[in-house]
Amino acid sequence: MPSDLLLVLPLLIPLYGALLCLAFWQREQWMAVMAGLAQVAWLLCAFMLMRRVLALEVIATQVGNWPAPYGITLAADVFSAMMLTSAAIIGLAVYLFSLQGLDVTRRRFGYYPLMLLLQMGVAGVCLTGDLFNLYVWFEVLLICCFALLSLGGGKGQLEGAIKYVTINFLASGLLLSGVGITYSLFGSLNLAELALLVRQPEHPNLPLLSMASVFFLVGFGIKAAIFPLFFWLPASYHTPPVAISSFIAGLITKTGMYTLIRLFTLLFVSDQGFMLPLLAILSGFTMLIGVIGAAAQTDFKKILSFHIISQIGYMLMGLAIYTPLAIAGSIFFIIHNIFVKTNLFLISGVVAQRYRTFSLKKLGGVYLLQPVLSVLFLLTALSLAGTPPLSGFWGKLMLARAGLEAGNYTLVAVSLCVSLITLFSMTKIWNEVFWKPRPVAVKKDIAMAPINPLRLWQLYLPIVLLLAFILFTGLYARPLVRLSERAANGLLHIGTYTDTVLSNNRAK
Amino acid sequence: METLLPLMVGTLFAAGLYFILHRHLFKVILGLILFGLATNLFLFVIGGLTRGGSAIINEEQTVAVEPYADPVPQALLLTAIVIGFGIQAFSIVLIRRVYMTFKSNNLDELQKENEAQ
């Protein structure tokens, strides 16, 4: 398959999948079949893209065949292929979960097409090679998030959706302003050409670049939920059903983080004396505040939501240290976190299906009735907390080592303390939900949902699948570490990227 | 124009932010619209203002004659307007739905009601 097609297919497959779903509006079984086919095709396509990128390092194409700095570029390097592949894997897992884990009404009213369009947005963000296009794809992704968050129209959902829509609209406005400023400073929107322009030390507008970079930092900072811009996340992520929140929680903040890493390695490199210490402070506070917030919560999903913030801090830490090892650690951490976070949300969904509540006070005794689920949770939670030899440990090891090598001792100390508190948080869930006996008062009030073995098996399947990935990346971390190092190398040595994008000029 | 338009952009940003922070839902809609307008106008102004300089290249020349209006910010602007329009339409529907569900126009009351449950 030609590379051009491979780059366009991750956008086209979800789009056509969604259109096919719409053709079967309100017939949810047909919609589910179409969406399933699209998910599998998307995953295959992501794997093929990964293979191609591993062989060629960077591939690029110009949509509409306009030569590079003028046309719209699609480009993929190892980092974007990694994001796309993990998005496809959790997309399939969440799809499998939704077959039994989501009510029929929501499925009938457009859950599947919205999910597919959301995935198209994610693919667009990962593959675009153009600054304005990045903004457009983020809007595609966000409008699907808006619709998914409010889908079904529960009271809590509507309240959460208002906050989410307002703050993200604000963030998009800032982003657009940043895009405008960057264009007016350098006269280009193509990422590769901009990367070359900002590396000319004699360019007259270079000192003004930090101003543009702050717009992007705030805009994507809101989307990635970094300190002090995270307040919308715990207010909205726990409100929709698990089949929606698991995908959004697992992937969308990480997409914001992906863009931050991409832009701050490719474009905003001129004023690192100011930017890197700032990022380090932000990352320390993000980790700390997130995990302290989680300690105060007594709701399964809210604890997990706060932990997203804390984990974002780790990803930012790698960017703040800015050595090849640190960036590789960040990338490893992003991929690890996408799987782990989605899996934890899915497990909370299985628990809530049976017990009809997410409140830690009302839950209990799951270990007696569902020991398998408890083990699945325990492994995933320990992986999140970073217990060796599970996958979180390797990410944190890479980051801590890079931090020590760079002399960033405070940040490393903070990150290790936060790890401990994360472990405390996870044991809190374990104690309250799985270990302690179910409260007597609750036993009378809320009847447990009956067990249907086939249904339960279908709910377990995606969790087991994701856990297999988590265990694989933990117990045999070498391939993913190597891959992350390669991706980081590609980000820090931009020569291949710019050459491939800009040499693609000839008309074919 | 060069002094008037930036002032207008600033005023629009300020007014938009003020209304977004308001607890009354209708004013939040107003805020979103004003903020969207502010960003669009900002994008237009920052592209550089020219009068009567079209970006059309004459037959005998190979590059456009300065000063000409840069068409790229205007193309971006068009896209941004359309996207902003879509999001504003969605948020108006969302807020209407909120009003119909909660029978209230006040953001603080929504939170109270949710916490009471």
Side-chain angles (χ1 to χ4, degrees):
Chain A
M1 201 185 286
S3 297
D4 303 335
L5 196 59
L6 259 186
L7 278 167
V8 182
L9 271 184
L11 305 173
L12 290 184
I13 291 171
L15 178 65
Y16 284 117
L19 289 179
L20 276 175
C21 282
L22 287 179
F24 294 98
W25 186 248
Q26 296 225 344
R27 270 169 284 178
E28 38 105 15
Q29 274 162 346
W30 282 101
M31 274 162 103
V33 170
M34 291 300 150
L37 288 176
Q39 295 284 5
V40 172
W42 204 50
L43 184 63
L44 286 178
C45 181
F47 273 128
M48 280 163 74
L49 184 72
M50 189 81 204
R51 265 193 63 194
R52 180 69 54 92
V53 166
L54 284 180
L56 296 176
E57 210 66 40
V58 182
I59 54 175
T61 183
Q62 319 297 337
V63 178
N65 219 357
W66 290 90
Y70 310 109
I72 288 169
T73 307
L74 293 178
D77 62 357
V78 182
F79 188 21
S80 38
M82 281 168 83
M83 279 298 285
L84 203 60
T85 314
S86 13
I89 292 170
I90 68 157
L92 187 64
V94 172
Y95 165 78
L96 288 175
F97 183 85
S98 77
L99 292 177
Q100 290 296 339
L102 191 69
D103 51 302
V104 180
T105 328
R106 284 200 175 83
R107 278 190 291 170
R108 198 176 282 161
F109 283 94
Y111 168 76
Y112 292 116
L114 281 170
M115 279 299 274
L116 283 169
L117 290 175
L118 177 60
Q119 287 167 321
M120 178 177 79
V122 172
V125 169
C126 293
L127 293 178
T128 184
D130 184 281
L131 203 54
F132 186 72
N133 231 252
L134 186 70
Y135 159 78
V136 174
W137 283 119
F138 246 100
E139 293 304 296
V140 171
L141 178 161
L142 279 175
I143 196 112
C144 298
C145 277
F146 296 164
L148 277 171
L149 278 180
S150 48
L151 187 67
K155 280 190 172 181
Q157 263 184 289
L158 287 175
E159 197 212 341
I162 284 198
K163 292 170 184 164
Y164 190 78
V165 169
T166 316
I167 189 90
N168 273 300
F169 189 80
L170 218 66
S172 302
L174 291 174
L175 273 188
L176 191 59
S177 312
V179 173
I181 295 174
T182 314
Y183 178 76
S184 69
L185 290 178
F186 291 94
S188 175
L189 287 169
N190 188 292
L191 286 178
E193 202 193 9
L194 275 173
L196 292 181
L197 284 172
V198 299
R199 279 173 178 75
Q200 293 173 349
E202 70 278 10
H203 198 286
N205 287 335
L206 203 55
L208 288 170
L209 185 65
S210 349
M211 183 183 69
S213 73
V214 171
F215 275 84
F216 284 95
L217 182 64
V218 176
F220 285 119
I222 290 177
K223 286 168 208 266
I226 62 181
F227 174 85
L229 310 164
F230 61 82
F231 294 100
W232 57 270
L233 192 147
S236 59
Y237 266 18
H238 65 282
T239 55
V242 167
I244 294 170
S245 60
S246 60
F247 189 81
I248 294 183
L251 200 61
I252 300 309
T253 44
K254 278 71 172 185
T255 319
M257 206 55 225
Y258 163 87
T259 336
L260 272 181
I261 292 183
R262 166 78 64 201
L263 291 182
F264 277 82
T265 52
L266 197 61
L267 296 189
F268 307 123
V269 288
S270 58
D271 200 7
Q272 290 190 329
F274 162 72
M275 203 43 90
L276 294 186
L278 178 67
L279 287 178
I281 294 169
L282 290 180
S283 100
F285 274 109
T286 313
M287 285 185 234
L288 208 59
I289 303 283
V291 86
I292 291 174
Q297 296 299 323
T298 53
D299 182 288
F300 203 154
K301 279 206 280 186
K302 270 195 183 168
I303 295 182
L304 296 180
S305 299
F306 269 102
H307 273 293
I308 299 175
I309 302 166
S310 159
Q311 311 291 327
I312 288 290
Y314 283 96
M315 301 162 200
L316 202 59
M317 176 180 166
L319 185 61
I321 298 168
Y322 210 82
T323 58
L325 183 63
I327 304 258
S330 271
I331 294 170
F332 186 94
F333 210 84
I334 289 178
I335 303 297
H336 139 81
N337 207 254
I338 289 175
F339 290 131
V340 170
K341 194 52 86 182
T342 312
N343 213 14
L344 284 175
F345 266 89
L346 290 182
I347 292 170
S348 81
V350 177
V351 172
Q353 279 250 321
R354 185 104 195 273
Y355 294 83
R356 292 177 177 153
T357 175
F358 285 101
S359 163
L360 291 192
K361 289 195 181 111
K362 293 181 187 160
L363 284 165
V366 178
Y367 182 73
L368 275 179
L369 293 174
Q370 288 164 298
V372 181
L373 186 68
S374 311
V375 172
L376 294 178
F377 171 81
L378 191 65
L379 285 172
T380 320
L382 288 179
S383 179
L384 181 82
T387 326
L390 296 164
S391 61
F393 170 71
W394 301 109
K396 284 177 184 169
L397 181 71
M398 285 161 89
L399 287 171
R401 228 184 95 186
L404 291 179
E405 276 170 15
N408 245 328
Y409 302 113
T410 332
L411 197 52
V412 174
V414 170
S415 79
L416 295 179
C417 289
V418 169
S419 265
L420 267 182
I421 312 179
T422 310
L423 193 60
F424 158 74
S425 241
M426 289 298 128
T427 40
K428 183 167 129 189
I429 298 184
W430 172 257
N431 276 337
E432 296 284 321
V433 177
F434 295 92
W435 207 243
K436 79 162 191 230
R438 195 152 180 259
V440 185
V442 179
K443 268 186 192 164
K444 291 176 204 150
D445 286 353
I446 309 173
M448 272 194 285
I451 294 188
N452 175 346
L454 178 73
R455 208 174 152 198
L456 211 58
W457 168 236
Q458 284 189 351
L459 288 176
Y460 277 9
L461 181 69
I463 297 175
V464 173
L465 193 89
L466 284 180
L467 188 67
F469 266 100
I470 296 165
L471 286 181
F472 176 74
T473 49
L475 300 177
Y476 186 53
R478 196 185 168 85
L480 190 60
V481 172
R482 276 284 160 80
L483 211 57
S484 311
E485 279 171 351
R486 232 178 119 176
N489 212 23
L491 286 176
L492 291 173
H493 302 100
I494 59 153
T496 333
Y497 182 83
T498 49
D499 286 350
T500 317
V501 171
L502 294 175
S503 71
N504 226 342
N505 283 348
R506 69 204 147 74
K508 266 167 253 159
Chain B
M1 276 314 244
E2 268 89 6
T3 45
L4 190 61
L5 276 176
L7 281 177
M8 261 182 74
V9 174
T11 320
L12 277 174
F13 266 121
L17 269 178
Y18 173 76
F19 279 129
I20 284 177
L21 295 174
H22 211 282
R23 70 169 82 81
H24 194 278
L25 284 176
F26 176 68
K27 289 184 179 146
V28 173
I29 298 182
L30 275 187
L32 290 179
I33 293 173
L34 287 181
F35 193 84
L37 283 178
T39 36
N40 291 344
L41 197 59
F42 177 78
L43 206 63
F44 179 67
V45 176
I46 205 164
L49 296 172
T50 50
R51 188 173 283 184
S54 58
I56 298 171
I57 303 170
N58 292 327
E59 242 175 74
E60 59 270 18
Q61 285 160 334
T62 49
V63 287
V65 193
E66 300 258 4
Y68 60 90
D70 190 347
V72 177
Q74 297 172 26
L76 305 187
L77 188 57
L78 273 178
T79 320
I81 288 173
V82 175
I83 293 174
F85 181 72
I87 291 181
Q88 282 157 19
F90 177 83
S91 49
I92 289 172
V93 173
L94 177 71
I95 283 173
R96 188 185 130 81
R97 183 73 192 272
V98 169
Y99 179 68
M100 295 186 37
T101 318
F102 286 86
K103 302 277 181 242
S104 159
N105 234 338
N106 190 328
L107 267 172
D108 292 348
E109 278 172 27
L110 306 192
Q111 193 152 13
K112 266 181 224 149
E113 193 167 332
N114 267 329
E115 274 164 9
Q117 277 174 1

